[in-house]
Amino acid sequence: MAVARSRFGEFLVASGALKPEELAAALRHQRTSQKRLEEVLYELGILPEERLVELVSRFTGFPVFSFDEVELTPELQQLVPVALIRRYDVYPVRADEGELYLACRGEVPSGVVENLRRMTGKNVRLVLMRPSELEELRKFFLQGEGEGPVSEGGEGGSAADVLDAILAKAVHLGASDVHLDPEPDRIQVRFRIDGFLRPVDQFPLSLHSALVSRIKVLGRMNIAEKRSPQDGGFTFRPEGGRTTNVRVSVLPSVRGEKVVMRLLPSQERILELKDLGMEGELLEKFTRLLALPHGLILVTGPTGSGKTFTLYAALKHLRRPEVNIITVEDPVELQMEGITQVQVDVTSRKLTFSDALRSILRQDPDVIMVGEIRDRETAQLSLQAALTGHLVLSTLHTNDAVSAVERLTDMGVERYLIAAALRGVLAQRLVRTICPRCRVPVRPPLGEFLALGLSPEDEGEFFAGKGCVYCHQSGYRGRTGIFELLVVDEELQKLIAGGADAISLKEAVAGKMKTMREDGIEKARRGITTLEEVIRVTVSM
């Protein structure tokens, strides 16, 4: 039942799918990597996965199994031992009355199939699936079981090995944060994926001290200090993967020190503006604002709404050899080439935002990014810089775009200065996107229509994810932004300078500015997200 590698290669050449020199290159790479030929062909991009699976099917006679046909029940998950899944890369994907469907890449020893037949009492049918789909199945079946040292439950593996395995798994699953929570009898490991925390592993409490000490050493923290909060950071690179910046926070608790590690992508993964969810007219208006020679542009929203990543995408859009871009941040979350980044030290007050801004203005900048406007002095300096020939980008914590004016006023900034310098405010939230593998048309509950001010008779089509292995049964996979953009024109400048409140400003832009809720509803109609998500992130508005 195995795909004989040499014969499979000959088949690919004979069928015209590969040139002899392509096969030779793949075989050379295979000898050094010790991977299957079909894996090498996929990883090197010689054959796309759809074509590869089709060819393996023709060669082996195994049918191609659709991801939509996968039915993972609790009973199914008990049929095949995890050790067998890990060793032979096979996954139970469906069980009918007398048959067990086993997804594979094409290579399964006949003894494995026979043993499974005896163990389950079912006829084992081998089926093929795409490499990316098999990877998702691997995550599903081995999540919580761990890989490498993690599977040992901390026994026999060093703290360094366990930490590497935890971080590698977190990167692999696309987690933004890793939580290590000390419990009375264990360490609970949780990952935040698409904005939601999910338990993934547990370790003996005896490992806690060594694990925290390892993290402190890497993060250049004091390992002897256990009673005060500490912050630090380091870089991590999984085998064969990209470098990830890890920002660490250690907090003493009654059960011991709790650790949270935020995983930040390297420069190569900074998104383009269009990849953030900005589209059409809003994207066009925002890029026009970025093209201005001077003025203040604000990005607003609560913590975790993606403001900083929007600023980084904006800087990536502006980055050119002839443009001097300087940032002042607390902390520097992503390091970017071609940009000068300054990290402030608020704790010891050796270098505050205002101190850094004053120095930056003597560095002949074209574009200045201030990580966050937190006080009157920073606000005043940012606005003055915007009025003296610099494009200034920064963030504020406000619920919507219009409220940014009121927030600056509350800080003590003069309204005439705001009216003269402010060019635009982008407010945003992050919503989870519907899993593309299990998306189905739905009729949302009446309450969701009413909560968003929609008519119950609305005939538009909406969608939701029913839950599958690809999305870990959540119905969602990934996140995108919903936005509203306030462009400060002459009319708004007069209103701001004249002391107009937030209600008057909202009335002035009504009908001229698409709100975040309207952007979210539009994305829900297009099957990108759900009405439930739009309500969740805009409930306070």
Side-chain angles (χ1 to χ4, degrees):
M1 289 189 181
V3 175
R5 295 176 184 175
S6 59
R7 290 191 295 111
F8 182 49
E10 294 168 4
F11 164 76
L12 293 174
V13 173
S15 64
L18 281 188
K19 297 177 181 177
E21 56 269 25
E22 290 177 321
L23 175 61
L27 290 173
R28 283 196 301 272
H29 188 82
Q30 182 197 0
R31 281 193 290 271
T32 59
S33 67
Q34 297 298 309
K35 293 183 178 180
R36 300 180 178 95
L37 176 58
E38 55 269 28
E39 287 183 273
V40 171
L41 292 171
Y42 170 62
E43 290 177 2
L44 294 180
I46 296 175
L47 286 175
E49 59 178 359
E50 295 88 348
R51 177 66 170 150
L52 180 61
V53 172
E54 174 200 337
L55 289 164
V56 175
S57 177
R58 285 171 51 191
F59 183 77
T60 62
F62 301 157
V64 177
F65 201 74
S66 167
F67 214 89
D68 294 334
E69 298 177 89
V70 174
E71 292 184 1
L72 296 177
T73 63
E75 294 75 23
L76 179 67
Q77 295 177 48
Q78 302 301 318
L79 285 176
V80 181
V82 170
L84 190 146
I85 290 174
R86 180 182 290 109
R87 180 174 181 182
Y88 295 105
D89 208 15
V90 294
Y91 309 92
V93 289
R94 189 170 180 172
D96 293 337
E97 186 173 338
E99 293 187 313
L100 170 65
Y101 292 81
L102 200 66
C104 64
R105 297 180 188 272
E107 287 193 13
V108 181
S110 57
V112 172
V113 175
E114 179 60 24
N115 287 339
L116 276 176
R117 185 188 67 77
R118 291 174 180 171
M119 288 169 54
T120 63
K122 296 179 181 290
N123 178 40
V124 177
R125 292 190 58 185
L126 293 176
V127 295
L128 301 172
M129 293 184 71
R130 298 178 181 182
S132 61
E133 294 172 338
L134 290 172
E135 190 58 43
E136 293 303 324
L137 288 168
R138 186 172 186 84
K139 294 177 192 176
F140 180 84
F141 281 102
L142 300 186
Q143 180 173 309
E145 296 295 330
E147 300 278 354
V150 177
S151 64
E152 301 165 20
E155 302 294 339
S158 70
D161 291 337
V162 172
L163 178 61
D164 285 351
I166 290 172
L167 291 175
K169 181 187 250 185
V171 171
H172 191 56
L173 292 175
S176 62
D177 300 84
V178 175
H179 289 237
L180 304 182
D181 301 307
E183 299 291 347
D185 57 348
R186 67 186 185 279
I187 307 170
Q188 177 69 60
V189 181
R190 295 183 293 171
F191 293 168
R192 187 175 295 280
I193 300 174
D194 295 337
F196 286 78
L197 275 176
R198 181 181 305 161
V200 292
D201 274 314
Q202 295 179 0
F203 297 100
L205 194 60
S206 59
L207 186 64
H208 180 260
S209 179
L211 194 55
V212 174
S213 294
R214 172 63 179 169
I215 292 167
K216 286 181 177 179
V217 169
L218 290 174
R220 298 179 182 274
M221 291 176 273
N222 183 355
I223 62 172
E225 178 57 71
K226 299 180 185 296
R227 297 183 180 180
S228 299
Q230 295 190 68
D231 297 312
F234 58 92
T235 59
F236 171 73
R237 183 169 185 172
E239 186 175 349
R242 292 178 173 177
T243 298
T244 296
N245 299 315
V246 183
R247 196 170 80 200
V248 183
S249 172
V250 180
L251 181 70
S253 75
V254 295
R255 295 194 182 115
E257 292 176 290
K258 172 182 169 65
V259 178
V260 175
M261 294 177 283
R262 170 152 289 188
L263 309 184
L264 301 164
S266 60
Q267 176 195 347
E268 291 78 9
R269 291 174 59 195
I270 295 174
L271 299 175
E272 305 286 345
L273 289 169
K274 60 182 177 60
D275 299 323
L276 300 177
M278 294 188 204
E279 301 170 323
E281 186 180 2
L282 184 140
L283 177 59
E284 183 182 337
K285 286 182 177 179
F286 190 64
T287 52
R288 282 207 301 265
L289 287 176
L290 294 176
L292 294 173
H294 54 80
L296 174 65
I297 301 172
L298 293 173
V299 180
T300 75
T303 300
S305 59
K307 301 186 299 294
T308 301
F309 283 87
T310 295
L311 286 184
Y312 280 124
L315 294 181
K316 186 176 181 180
H317 175 81
L318 291 167
R319 183 178 55 186
R320 296 187 300 278
E322 64 272 20
V323 179
N324 182 20
I325 301 175
I326 305 179
T327 76
V328 50
E329 307 171 62
D330 177 30
V332 173
E333 295 194 358
L334 298 173
Q335 295 186 21
M336 299 181 67
E337 292 182 9
I339 289 175
T340 302
Q341 295 174 275
V342 179
Q343 181 159 311
V344 301
D345 187 352
V346 176
T347 305
S348 66
R349 297 193 64 81
K350 291 180 180 178
L351 181 63
T352 65
F353 273 106
S354 53
D355 292 335
L357 263 174
R358 289 190 184 92
S359 298
I360 284 171
L361 290 171
R362 295 192 289 271
Q363 289 283 317
D364 186 32
D366 298 299
V367 178
I368 302 170
M369 189 269 267
V370 181
E372 182 184 346
I373 295 178
R374 299 176 178 174
D375 52 52
R376 180 179 183 273
E377 190 174 15
T378 305
Q380 290 274 21
L381 286 169
S382 298
L383 287 161
Q384 288 167 2
L387 284 174
T388 54
H390 307 93
L391 183 64
V392 182
L393 311 179
S394 191
T395 70
L396 273 181
H397 287 275
T398 65
N399 278 338
D400 55 33
V402 169
S403 299
V405 175
E406 201 168 72
R407 180 77 180 99
L408 290 172
T409 304
D410 291 342
M411 287 181 179
V413 180
E414 296 83 355
R415 277 185 168 268
Y416 77 87
L417 190 57
I418 300 172
L422 188 61
R423 294 291 177 265
V425 183
L426 180 77
Q428 68 178 75
R429 298 287 191 280
L430 290 176
V431 293
R432 291 181 293 172
T433 52
I434 300 171
C435 174
R437 300 288 178 87
C438 62
R439 190 184 76 162
V440 293
V442 296
R443 183 66 181 171
L446 175 62
E448 292 183 7
F449 282 98
L450 298 178
L452 293 170
L454 298 175
S455 168
E457 287 76 36
D458 194 299
E459 296 182 356
E461 189 174 29
F462 295 92
F463 299 84
K466 61 183 180 180
C468 67
V469 64
Y470 185 66
C471 61
H472 306 285
Q473 307 300 326
S474 69
Y476 296 98
R477 175 82 178 201
R479 290 191 290 178
T480 191
I482 59 173
F483 304 91
E484 65 184 33
L485 178 61
L486 175 71
V487 177
V488 181
D489 55 17
E490 290 185 13
E491 179 189 355
L492 281 179
Q493 283 180 323
K494 292 176 182 177
L495 288 170
I496 294 169
D501 59 14
I503 295 175
S504 300
L505 292 176
K506 286 181 181 179
E507 290 174 351
V509 299
K512 297 193 296 185
M513 180 187 78
K514 182 194 293 182
T515 67
M516 269 188 285
R517 277 202 164 182
E518 290 169 342
D519 189 33
I521 292 168
E522 184 178 307
K523 285 183 168 74
R525 290 187 189 280
R526 291 161 51 198
I528 297 172
T529 189
T530 63
L531 292 182
E532 181 183 22
E533 274 293 284
V534 178
I535 294 169
R536 180 180 68 83
V537 301
T538 63
V539 68
S540 61
M541 297 178 62

